[in-house]
Amino acid sequence: MACQRNEELQELLNEAKKVANEGKVASYIPALQRENPDTLSCAIAYPDGQCISAGDIQKNFTLQSISKIITLALVLMDYGSEHVFHKVGMEPTGDPFNSIIKLETSSQAKPLNPMINAGALSVTSMIKGKDATEKVEYILDFVRKLCHDPEITYCKDVAISEFTTSFLNRSLCYYMKGAGVIHGNVEEIMEVYTKQCAISMNCLQLAIIGAVFAGDGICPVTQEEVIPKNVARICKTFMVTCGMYNASGEFAIKIGVPAKSGVSGGIMCAVPGRFGIGIFGPPLNEIGNSHTGMRLLELFQEKYDLSMF
Ligand code: GLU
């Protein structure tokens, strides 16, 4: 998809960049802390295949938690919602994304939703394939189809960096395995999960995936249905209720569109029936959302009336 540079978008980007020094680049995954806090890029992909952008849209970043929406769509397509929601709930939580507390206090140790780490790990444990390599390839093939780019892959450095330091996520897996919520080999689930989080792309490719969800599952490049409408609808609903960590309520009020962020500083929005937005701005606010990305979306909301509410 060819993308036109847009002056108006660039001006909003320049304005949003002014708050870059108020945020902090994630460092708990060591490889992420190398990012430059001044980086900010954005693309908007429309359902008819048009696209506008500003900033360095060639710059790749890893999806991190944004991948949770993609694996959720995949397992919903493979198993149907009844099976999936038997293993993971539908309710938002006010807790941080990596919290273990609700697993212990809820009656069945079932994670509250697929956007927190426990829920996403449960979703990853359902991915089809005979081993980790096949499962990762299966996820990658789906991502390649979503953004219509056969070259998409994961960043080995970031995947290894997280795999070797991710003790909390391992604890979530072992807790859920002990409670019979997930099955299978925890190291394999961790390998698949850290590689799915390390899938690397630029904000144009992310905007195209956002446009797929915004357009009820239709790829804006090929006009083919790549996700059934019902699955796209479920994913967008989770993006509204839990996509922006424990600031999802505030985000719904201030911006009002389905969105998913990741600790790398990426944000994907799916503005229903209008367009997909891909943003990359590495400095995060205290909740873990891109600080410059949030500022940019506030400016969009003021200017283009994004909110669906
Ligand atoms: N790979 C990250 C983790 O599990 C993803 C977190 C995020 O982006 O919220 O800690």
Side-chain angles (χ1 to χ4, degrees):
M1 182 188 268
C3 208
Q4 295 285 325
R5 301 203 68 80
N6 184 283
E7 268 316 305
E8 195 171 284
L9 202 55
Q10 186 62 52
E11 276 166 31
L12 297 178
L13 218 82
N14 296 344
E15 180 61 31
K17 263 192 188 190
K18 291 183 184 161
V19 301
N21 61 359
E22 294 169 11
K24 233 174 147 242
V25 177
S27 57
Y28 79 99
I29 299 174
L32 294 182
Q33 65 192 345
R34 294 185 216 127
E35 292 299 347
N36 176 356
D38 282 331
T39 305
L40 185 59
S41 53
C42 174
I44 300 181
Y46 295 88
D48 63 357
Q50 311 242 27
C51 170
I52 58 170
S53 72
D56 179 7
I57 59 156
Q58 302 306 325
K59 175 90 181 110
N60 271 28
F61 53 94
T62 57
L63 289 180
Q64 299 304 330
S65 271
I66 303 171
S67 68
K68 293 170 179 172
I69 260 313
I70 294 169
T71 44
L72 174 66
L74 198 51
V75 296
L76 284 169
M77 285 160 69
D78 281 345
Y79 300 100
S81 54
E82 202 178 317
H83 177 93
V84 171
F85 294 127
H86 188 65
K87 294 182 171 295
V88 58
M90 301 182 195
E91 299 306 329
T93 151
D95 302 323
F97 68 98
N98 52 7
S99 174
I100 197 163
I101 192 160
K102 291 273 167 37
L103 290 182
E104 208 181 353
T105 56
S106 71
S107 55
Q108 298 167 296
K110 176 168 133 173
L112 275 179
N113 69 68
M115 299 297 106
I116 50 173
N117 281 12
L121 288 159
S122 170
V123 165
T124 297
S125 77
M126 292 181 236
I127 294 290
K128 285 184 175 171
K130 71 173 186 319
D131 55 20
T133 309
E134 226 178 81
K135 291 175 186 184
V136 172
E137 223 20 64
Y138 186 57
I139 299 171
L140 280 171
D141 276 343
F142 183 51
V143 177
R144 289 169 185 145
K145 202 163 146 193
L146 289 179
C147 52
H148 198 62
D149 188 332
E151 314 258 284
I152 296 281
T153 188
Y154 66 89
C155 170
K156 291 196 177 62
D157 276 3
V158 173
I160 291 170
S161 182
E162 183 174 12
F163 185 78
T164 51
T165 54
S166 202
F167 307 111
L168 189 48
N169 284 337
R170 277 187 177 78
S171 314
L172 295 172
C173 285
Y174 281 113
Y175 194 95
M176 290 190 288
K177 187 166 173 167
V181 175
I182 63 170
H183 306 281
N185 179 298
V186 169
E187 287 310 301
E188 182 180 300
I189 296 169
M190 285 302 302
E191 183 181 340
V192 178
Y193 177 75
T194 48
K195 287 180 178 168
Q196 86 176 48
C197 285
I199 291 174
S200 168
M201 64 178 64
N202 61 38
C203 64
L204 168 58
Q205 290 156 332
L206 190 61
I208 295 174
I209 301 182
V212 170
F213 285 103
D216 291 336
I218 307 293
C219 171
V221 187
T222 59
Q223 300 302 319
E224 241 179 78
E225 184 184 274
V226 280
I227 300 177
K229 185 174 176 178
N230 189 41
V231 170
R233 182 184 62 78
I234 295 173
C235 291
K236 274 183 285 195
T237 313
F238 276 120
M239 287 162 81
V240 170
T241 56
C242 352
M244 300 301 279
Y245 305 114
N246 38 332
S248 299
E250 185 184 340
F251 187 85
I253 288 171
K254 287 191 176 159
I255 316 290
V257 298
K260 182 73 202 92
S261 65
V263 290
S264 51
I267 303 179
M268 174 179 84
C269 301
V271 189
R274 289 175 69 187
F275 41 74
I277 306 175
I279 297 176
F280 176 51
L284 308 179
N285 62 20
E286 60 292 348
I287 301 282
N289 291 315
S290 166
H291 191 56
T292 43
M294 288 293 297
R295 179 74 193 118
L296 186 60
L297 287 169
E298 278 170 18
L299 296 168
F300 282 180
Q301 163 59 12
E302 278 164 26
K303 207 163 173 124
Y304 308 121
D305 193 16
L306 285 193
S307 179
M308 57 191 263
F309 298 109

